[in-house]
Amino acid sequence: MKQLLVIHGPNLNLLGIREPGVYGAATLEQINAELTKIAEDAGAKLDCFQSNHEGALIDRVQAARADGTAFIIINPAGYTHTSVALRDALAAVALPFVEVHLSNIHKREAFRHHSFFSELAVGVICGLGPAGYRLALDYALAHSLTSPAPGKS
């Protein structure tokens, strides 16, 4: 069974109540439940992790290297534009990942237009709300089910 990981960055625990005009009405729990069901139906295991703390996010990325994770979906949230350390953790574990943003970061404030993660990502999805996570998961499932397990060739 392929292991996939979804990482949600800071303030995403407030989805559903935080700026619904920007981020939508779906809660993080609803998004995670839907993604988990899709993964299970496809024969994969999905772990969802959220933290408001950069170090906890880095620790989880590093743990993915050893726990059998085949693919990461990450919404770095505010760390998208500030965290070289989280970017370096993703580079170090060398697992494929898709970067997801609920809002279109390119239609927002200028400081949100740059991502430290995009150049490493397999792909970037932004502006599609929770559907972006589903699209990333569809790609991750297709990619991880046809790729060898990490560390195997």
Side-chain angles (χ1 to χ4, degrees):
M1 178 178 280
K2 289 290 184 169
Q3 172 76 30
L4 307 175
L5 173 62
V6 177
I7 297 177
H8 306 282
N11 298 310
L12 292 173
N13 57 305
L14 298 176
L15 288 178
I17 59 170
R18 175 187 175 216
E19 300 177 81
V22 174
Y23 299 107
T27 67
L28 187 61
E29 293 77 18
Q30 291 168 330
I31 292 169
N32 286 342
E34 180 181 12
L35 296 176
T36 299
K37 171 118 175 56
I38 292 168
E40 287 174 356
D41 288 349
K45 182 177 185 310
L46 183 71
D47 182 32
C48 299
F49 179 80
Q50 187 278 327
S51 181
N52 294 320
H53 305 282
E54 185 177 31
L57 296 167
I58 291 167
D59 289 344
R60 184 61 190 97
V61 167
Q62 290 178 359
R65 183 170 182 252
D67 72 6
T69 296
F71 202 99
I72 297 172
I73 297 166
I74 185 168
N75 182 342
Y79 289 134
T80 302
H81 327 289
T82 64
S83 184
V84 173
L86 184 54
R87 178 228 186 262
D88 287 351
L90 285 160
V93 300
L95 292 170
F97 72 93
V98 170
E99 177 183 351
V100 174
H101 300 282
L102 294 162
S103 67
N104 183 345
I105 61 175
H106 304 290
K107 289 180 75 176
R108 299 191 59 199
E109 304 91 340
F111 72 86
R112 295 186 195 275
H113 297 178
H114 178 265
S115 167
F116 282 108
F117 301 85
S118 296
E119 73 180 51
L120 298 177
V122 172
V124 178
I125 301 170
C126 68
L128 302 180
Y133 282 106
R134 292 189 298 273
L135 292 168
L137 180 57
D138 287 345
Y139 180 84
L141 288 165
H143 177 80
S144 67
L145 294 174
T146 60
S147 299
K152 308 226 185 214
S153 53

